[in-house]
Amino acid sequence: MKPSDLGHNLLLGENVTVGSGVAFGANVVVHDDTVIGDGCFIQDNVVLGKAPSLSPTSTAKRGELSPLVLGAGSVVCTGAVVYRGAQLGPGCIVGDLASVRERCTLGQRVVIGRGTCVENDTRIGAFTRIQSNAYITAYMEIEDHVFIAPAVQTTNDNFMGRTEKRHALERGATIRRGARIGGGALLLPRVEIGEEAFVAAGSIVTRDVPARTLVMGSPARVVRDVPDEELLENQ
Amino acid sequence: MKPSDLGHNLLLGENVTVGSGVAFGANVVVHDDTVIGDGCFIQDNVVLGKAPSLSPTSTAKRGELSPLVLGAGSVVCTGAVVYRGAQLGPGCIVGDLASVRERCTLGQRVVIGRGTCVENDTRIGAFTRIQSNAYITAYMEIEDHVFIAPAVQTTNDNFMGRTEKRHALERGATIRRGARIGGGALLLPRVEIGEEAFVAAGSIVTRDVPARTLVMGSPARVVRDVPDEELLENQ
Amino acid sequence: MKPSDLGHNLLLGENVTVGSGVAFGANVVVHDDTVIGDGCFIQDNVVLGKAPSLSPTSTAKRGELSPLVLGAGSVVCTGAVVYRGAQLGPGCIVGDLASVRERCTLGQRVVIGRGTCVENDTRIGAFTRIQSNAYITAYMEIEDHVFIAPAVQTTNDNFMGRTEKRHALERGATIRRGARIGGGALLLPRVEIGEEAFVAAGSIVTRDVPARTLVMGSPARVVRDVPDEELLENQ
């Protein structure tokens, strides 16, 4: 790690690539091998390319990680932490104090809200927006144009750390294209939220949600269809 | 931005005003035009006066922002981020790792808890206390002497990013004087919580709550009146 | 506070003790009297040994605090804040952007997840794991081998800041050995979660949970016993 004149108290690891027109806030730390695309904006106190410190009981995969790659024009906001092994497409925004962990892949123009955590090995499709203070667990698949409201919570392990068989079953929700998840909703492990489905705020989703339906309650049940005027094709 | 001897690794933007008796922790970044009142305490790693980085799809208003103003004797705790365009009255506390966004106004002696996010354009009255890890959405109005418990969640858009008509309807809850919102409760868009009302922990509030009533459940329903001994006038 | 060559932009307070083989990330701030055990790893932007800034209305105890002590081999991750007066056993992990407050005691190999807040005066037993974005309130007692899933919320004051009698009653939940609390669950003040009990995700726990039972719903009710294969003795 060496100080760099590209920013105030900027520290760059070995073999870091900085594109043209990148702007750095103060006190940024960029760990080894990170690739920062052209025109990115890395704000105050951001840490990029951090290697995970796994606990002995963590179920995250171990082994070599590829470098963190930030697509052109991405913005990583104040105090956010983006791990080695993540790949962000162009034009992404990672909000203040948010985290994106190892082996996550984000398509173009994904927004990760303020304070939100995206755990390891989750894929997020293009144009998906995750708002503030959400928790996106490990091993989720989130497709394009999904909307996740503030404080949505997700889980991936029904056994909460017990039994050997849990390892084969550990997986978060799958959220199909254009689905919307309401504020404070909770998604149980391995549920599938269908295309353009709508999960009402505060729902607890314990089983799959059919495409284009609106579900509500605890456990969430289908209440009606999503109105045509709210479908992606009509925006 | 220029280094300053007023604190360790302190960086001050152009035209920053620092009152008398202000104490700075380490690694503080103060952006342009910020006004820090007398006797404020700005702790380690705080960022003040940050300009927002809005996503192309954000519904936050754009345009010129007035400088951040911190009232006398306010404390901004470790790692917190307070935006340009916010105005804090005297004696406020912004907790560790909390955020207060542009065009928020806080009256005197407001407490924003650790990790809590107050989004743009929300007004918070004097002596209101918001505890840790709450999410206060944009366009809320919170009056004086309100108590918001930990992990309270709020929302402001029933359409979750679809339709044009949503723009006219986007507004968070209104919380009247002396109301109390219990831990983990969820407030839906545009509900009004009456004066001195009490929302029980974990409730989901889908419609207005009458003054001085206690509501509970999902959806929250009136259960009884708030006891006289708990009213503000009897403290 | 004086700069130290042990890390990049490292700041050490008076009378700090640094064990052998301690590794520091960048921009770490260590306040007075902190004791860092052998082989600890203190990552970028961490603040150790911070003294609390209590609001005038806070119910946290005041007075002299003993120094922060970090047990050997502990890891404090990026941007975390650990207060003066806390004591961590050997091999603990405090996740990114997490907080541990004054007078908390953590046994050996406790894990505090990313973004999680542990408020003042809470005790956590050995091998307990608290996952990301949980909120652990003040005055809780959590025994050994407990598992707390992401986004679990807890409360300790049914009066939310009103009446004098609340002071005698303010206490968070007690969680007995080996219990597991599911994602997004909410624990009301002073409930006791029995040994090896299982609280399903999203439950609201309003009364005590018997040992080795599984509870679910709002309010949480006993549904069945925890299967033998999930008990600690069978792992």
Side-chain angles (χ1 to χ4, degrees), chain A residues 43-44 96 132 180 235, chain B residues 31 50 53 83 119 159 163:
Chain A
Q43 300 185 350
D44 304 326
D96 293 348
S132 299
R180 291 173 286 169
Q235 302 311 305
Chain B
H31 288 272
K50 170 187 171 167
S53 289
Y83 277 62
E119 297 280 20
F159 297 89
T163 77

Side-chain angles (χ1 to χ4, degrees), chain A residues 8-9 27 43-45 78 93 96-97 114 129 132 150-151 178 180-183 196 198 202 229-230 235, chain B residues 9 11 29 31 45 47 50 53 55-57 83 97 99 115 117 119 135 153 158-160 162-163 165 186:
Chain A
H8 174 82
N9 187 34
N27 309 322
Q43 300 185 350
D44 304 326
N45 298 349
T78 307
I93 298 181
D96 293 348
L97 301 165
R114 178 269 178 212
R129 287 178 284 160
S132 299
R180 291 173 286 169
I181 316 296
E196 300 256 26
F198 184 110
E229 64 169 355
E230 297 187 19
Q235 302 311 305
Chain B
N9 188 33
L11 203 62
V29 181
H31 288 272
N45 299 346
V47 175
K50 170 187 171 167
S53 289
S55 85
T57 53
Y83 277 62
L97 301 164
S99 303
C117 175
E119 297 280 20
Y135 177 73
Q153 310 296 341
N158 278 324
F159 297 89
M160 292 201 278
R162 303 278 172 83
T163 77
K165 71 183 179 197
L186 173 65

